[in-house]
Amino acid sequence: MSGSTASLQHEIEALRREIREHNYRYYILDHPTISDHDYDRLLRHLQQLEAELGEPVPADSPSQQVGAPPSSTFTSVAHGEPLLSLANAFSDAEVEAFARRLTDQLGGATTRWIVEPKIDGLAVNLRYEAGHLTAAATRGDGVHGEDVTDNVRTIADIPWHLDFGTQSPPALLEVRGEIYMSKAAFAALNARQQQAGATPFANPRNAAAGSLRQLDARITRERQLNFFAYGVGLGGHALAESQSALLQRLSELGFAVQQTTLVDDVAGLLHCYRQLQQARAELPYEIDGVVYKLDDFTLQQQVGAVARAPRWAIAHKFPAEEVTTQVEEIVWQVGRTGVITPVAVLQPVAVGGVVVSRATLHNVDELQRKAVYVGARVIVRRAGDVIPEVVQAVDVDAAAEMPAVPTQCPACGAAVYRLQDEVAIRCSGGLSCAAQLVERLRHFVSRAAMDIDGMGDKLIARLVDEQLVHDAADLYSLDYSRLTDWPGMGERSCAKLADAVAASKKRPLARFLFALGMRHVGAATAAALATQFGHLDAVMAADEASLLAVPDVGPEVAASVMNFFAEPHNRDVLARLRAAGVEPQVAEQLVSGHPLAGKTVVLTGSFQAVARRAAQEQLRKFGVKPASSVSKNSDLVIAGERAGSKLNKARELGIAVADEAQLMRWLAWSPEAQDTQAAD
Ligand code: IVH
């Protein structure tokens, strides 16, 4: 391998890791940290590099996949037909190229397009058996999703039964569409969140995803979700001959569908785009672009699909909102790893529905490239919930004084250095830099990490400032009743905070590992480490070979983990955390030897002694694969009371059926009991 190929490989690996991390944050945590726009840029960059490398692209590259694998909280279900994603266009030229490509491919025949608003929600697959809703799943990785049937049943727009009139309903029909939260429901939910002291949701999409993925379906019901149907999967292709006719048919069957427009050339597509861009603010729900689809199903089939997306459709995204304002000051912010980032303090301005007064400039190179100085007029962009950024300066005054790059850490005064090949400048103060400590603690207590409610930024800053806290372990030995005379900290708040700190002692290992803030270990990598090793001691003792065996862990990540745990200060903090009772919960490991291990089992109906979902969870620990629908691949159906169509289907297919008594025996199974029996 030549040097440049090696570095290209390296860049591709790093990019894949970064994108997986963003997938995880978006799909699993419902908490993205970059805008869709920036995400798309990363994905495109990866596709370019993979093309440049010219080697076969592995199937697990994010460029080949849709979304993230389902999280383990819900049962995984296979979709009858995969759920695809859409390619994106960001400019008129890209739309023109798309239309030309298709027209050429179809031999220049006149084509008819349907234009649909692109709803900013999350895709689901609904399964109807003989017209009855039997299962609903999120998109997941496109092939398998999470079973959210109970939750979906609380959504009023989703019919439980489809009315086929005099016709007999198809044995199986998959209906696809988008679950979303209206702007009004979103505003009301966030008002409630704020009142309860909980973090508000960043945007309606996150709120919808977070509300759907609730183990308690009653919460989903309270959140008021909506649904638009826009497609079909297995069993649906005979319903109509075109997308426009299909939407009509879905509407007759009882689904809500959006208003769409049919056009027959690119000018028509772009006209619709601009109209919808105008109408966007007036719509009762968020849209983030427009989808163009070939209307005719025969033509759709003719052009086919690539790995992630059909060739017959494209999403034309709206640009992120931008406004112009003035830079009042440039400050240098010290992050938890010592990276010092320039931030523009702005004359406050409204963009994308919120008032923005700070925007990141990313790094010194960007600052200089964008020619940002105090007094400059700048364009600021904000997409979704993410940190606003300065796009560029306008009317640059060539005589203006450019900001000086600090040579000392603005927080602790230690020298600033820059590693070769890195754009970032860093503070060399290490453990003695209070700003780094504040940021490490903010990360430690954050929602995706130890999730300590009520431990706000101001409080952390003061705890550090008053030298009451020197590291994460100090959070667990602090006497919170001492803080009652601090601003905003009554007796009640202090007691609540102490409870929240205590409650965080038993977080899952994945969160704890993420909270430690090891370099290159994001939430997704932390989760992979926890699953692989199961226990904190095992992670701490892991050698390079066993770390490299973890999915997504390369030499850089492995070195970072080993260095972290070798560091005496870190070992000391870990020992004190454990002494204070912090006990990361052992990641679930499979118990082997169960009689149903490896079998695909469907639970249907209701059980007296155990909730269905709890039973599924327990069975999963025994290595059983719970599934939500009966097929010839099912090994067993366990039927409770009022078991209906699934039980019938099992009988039709000749699949073994068990009852609740048998289920309870399987749930009570333990390897120890087997050993004793064997010894007898
Ligand atoms: S069609 C095979 N139509 O956007 C076609 N998708 O970025 C797949 N979306 O996964 C989808 N509005 O979750 C389609 N009118 C619409 C849509 C739409 C929103 C979502 C959907 C899809 C994602 C792709």
Side-chain angles (χ1 to χ4, degrees):
M1 197 166 23
S2 75
S4 66
T5 313
S7 79
L8 192 56
Q9 278 277 19
H10 184 75
E11 202 181 338
I12 288 176
E13 283 304 319
L15 204 49
R16 285 181 185 151
R17 200 166 61 222
E18 190 180 347
I19 294 173
R20 283 193 190 108
E21 180 69 25
H22 289 308
N23 282 345
Y24 186 83
R25 290 189 150 266
Y26 185 90
Y27 289 105
I28 307 290
L29 300 180
D30 300 324
H31 197 68
T33 47
I34 63 167
S35 68
D36 286 3
H37 187 83
D38 289 343
Y39 176 84
D40 290 331
R41 261 208 310 238
L42 287 178
L43 197 59
R44 284 188 167 204
H45 188 46
L46 174 62
Q47 285 161 343
Q48 273 163 9
L49 295 185
E50 286 177 340
E52 214 173 295
L53 187 66
E55 286 175 8
V57 179
D60 69 347
S61 168
S63 65
Q64 306 301 302
Q65 294 175 321
V66 178
S71 82
S72 59
T73 334
F74 290 88
T75 312
S76 165
V77 278
H79 305 308
E81 256 175 41
L83 267 73
L84 296 180
S85 182
L86 290 170
N88 290 318
F90 291 101
S91 65
D92 292 2
E94 287 177 357
V95 175
E96 281 156 11
F98 159 77
R100 204 173 321 116
R101 210 163 48 235
L102 283 194
T103 323
D104 287 352
Q105 211 181 336
L106 294 170
T110 37
T111 40
R112 204 151 73 130
W113 304 95
I114 181 165
V115 183
E116 301 177 3
K118 185 172 187 305
I119 313 141
D120 199 8
L122 66 152
V124 286
N125 184 33
L126 308 175
R127 193 179 159 97
Y128 288 89
E129 291 176 47
H132 301 289
L133 176 65
T134 54
T138 62
R139 179 167 69 173
D141 61 8
V143 179
H144 295 93
E146 293 168 342
D147 181 350
V148 286
T149 314
D150 296 345
N151 310 55
V152 156
R153 284 184 192 279
T154 70
I155 301 174
D157 285 344
I158 296 182
W160 287 25
H161 307 287
L162 302 183
D163 183 8
F164 282 85
T166 52
Q167 288 173 322
S168 63
L172 176 68
L173 169 65
E174 287 183 323
V175 175
R176 274 90 191 263
E178 200 85 348
I179 289 183
Y180 67 95
M181 188 177 280
S182 71
K183 290 176 184 169
F186 174 67
L189 169 61
N190 264 359
R192 291 201 302 272
Q193 289 281 110
Q194 236 142 6
Q195 233 169 22
T199 321
F201 288 94
N203 54 46
R205 199 219 83 93
N206 290 341
S211 305
L212 185 67
R213 298 174 66 258
Q214 289 285 337
L215 283 172
D216 182 349
R218 283 171 301 188
I219 301 180
T220 311
R221 182 193 298 276
E222 277 166 19
R223 299 281 177 87
Q224 291 184 36
L225 298 173
N226 289 93
F227 177 78
F228 277 125
Y230 54 62
V232 284
L234 215 59
H237 303 288
L239 284 183
E241 287 176 354
S242 67
Q243 175 69 5
S244 48
L246 175 69
L247 292 177
Q248 172 67 34
R249 190 78 188 96
L250 287 171
S251 155
E252 289 161 9
L253 288 174
F255 290 100
V257 297
Q258 296 194 94
Q259 282 211 350
T260 57
T261 314
L262 288 166
V263 301
D264 44 30
D265 56 17
V266 178
L269 296 178
L270 297 177
H271 177 71
C272 283
Y273 176 81
R274 294 196 220 299
Q275 271 189 330
L276 276 162
Q277 204 171 4
Q278 295 285 319
R280 182 181 186 185
E282 312 302 323
L283 284 179
Y285 55 95
E286 288 288 349
I287 60 173
D288 60 347
V290 176
V291 186
Y292 310 132
K293 301 175 181 172
L294 266 183
D295 192 42
D296 189 305
F297 284 165
T298 319
L299 297 186
Q300 285 188 2
Q301 267 199 325
Q302 221 170 309
V303 296
V306 290
R308 283 170 60 96
R311 284 210 194 83
W312 44 261
I314 200 162
H316 191 179
K317 293 283 204 71
F318 293 137
E321 253 195 279
E322 295 184 344
V323 293
T324 309
T325 185
Q326 189 155 23
V327 176
E328 291 184 335
E329 196 186 348
I330 290 169
V331 295
W332 297 85
Q333 205 166 287
V334 186
R336 70 183 152 94
T337 58
V339 171
I340 302 176
T341 309
V343 174
V345 178
L346 307 166
Q347 217 165 61
V349 62
V351 48
V354 296
V355 176
V356 164
S357 56
R358 288 163 83 90
T360 178
L361 289 157
H362 299 295
N363 56 55
V364 175
D365 287 6
E366 287 280 288
L367 170 76
Q368 289 167 346
R369 190 174 64 75
K370 291 175 176 168
V372 176
Y373 50 89
V374 175
R377 291 203 65 75
V378 289
I379 298 174
V380 175
R381 171 165 63 201
R382 179 180 175 274
D385 57 324
V386 296
I387 314 159
E389 76 174 336
V390 171
V391 183
Q392 66 181 91
V394 285
D395 309 330
V396 175
D397 174 1
E401 195 185 331
M402 287 297 156
V405 177
T407 52
Q408 287 182 315
C409 172
C412 73
V416 162
Y417 68 99
R418 187 169 177 159
L419 291 177
Q420 218 186 352
D421 296 339
E422 260 197 11
V423 286
I425 57 171
R426 290 172 186 275
C427 156
S428 62
L431 292 176
S432 54
C433 176
Q436 287 186 45
L437 173 58
V438 168
E439 293 304 317
R440 277 199 302 276
L441 292 171
R442 279 182 59 190
H443 171 77
F444 187 84
V445 305
S446 65
R447 193 156 72 170
M450 298 299 265
D451 194 14
I452 304 184
D453 230 18
M455 186 73 81
D457 294 355
K458 287 205 180 100
L459 182 63
I460 292 178
R462 181 151 178 200
L463 289 172
V464 169
D465 200 40
E466 305 223 345
Q467 306 211 3
L468 291 171
V469 171
H470 305 89
D471 53 44
D474 287 345
L475 295 176
Y476 294 90
S477 54
L478 190 69
D479 175 5
Y480 288 91
S481 65
R482 285 173 57 180
L483 313 182
T484 41
D485 54 350
W486 284 23
M489 294 294 297
E491 231 165 81
R492 236 170 72 92
S493 308
C494 286
K496 263 176 88 169
L497 183 59
D499 287 348
V501 170
S504 76
K505 288 181 179 175
K506 295 210 158 53
R507 294 276 180 254
L509 180 59
R511 279 165 171 271
F512 180 77
L513 291 174
F514 176 58
L516 293 179
M518 294 179 267
R519 279 193 81 184
H520 307 304
V521 179
T525 307
L529 289 169
T531 308
Q532 181 91 1
F533 292 102
H535 199 278
L536 178 59
D537 290 314
V539 188
M540 290 178 71
D543 59 9
E544 187 178 16
S546 54
L547 285 165
L548 289 176
V550 180
D552 260 2
V553 170
E556 220 174 339
V557 181
S560 162
V561 172
M562 287 191 301
N563 289 339
F564 183 90
F565 290 115
E567 230 280 317
H569 169 75
N570 294 337
R571 296 187 78 87
D572 169 61
V573 174
L574 281 163
R576 286 172 35 243
L577 280 167
R578 298 176 105 177
V582 177
E583 205 183 312
Q585 294 305 287
V586 172
E588 204 173 275
Q589 281 192 315
L590 295 186
V591 181
S592 59
H594 193 276
L596 294 181
K599 300 255 192 288
T600 302
V601 175
V602 178
L603 270 67
T604 181
S606 55
F607 300 97
Q608 300 220 314
V610 61
R612 191 165 69 203
R613 186 166 276 160
Q616 285 171 335
E617 280 308 305
Q618 181 60 30
L619 286 175
R620 201 211 294 272
K621 288 183 196 154
F622 291 135
V624 180
K625 288 180 260 173
S628 66
S629 59
V630 181
S631 74
K632 60 179 187 329
N633 298 327
S634 317
D635 293 304
L636 177 73
V637 170
I638 306 181
E641 276 174 43
R642 288 187 302 281
S645 60
K646 291 183 194 180
L647 179 56
N648 293 339
K649 182 135 183 217
R651 294 200 174 117
E652 262 168 50
L653 294 171
I655 289 160
V657 176
D659 62 7
E660 177 163 353
Q662 185 63 43
L663 171 67
M664 296 318 289
R665 281 196 288 279
W666 277 318
L667 291 179
W669 182 92
S670 81
E672 294 78 22
Q674 304 309 305
D675 289 349
T676 347
Q677 276 174 15
D680 287 346

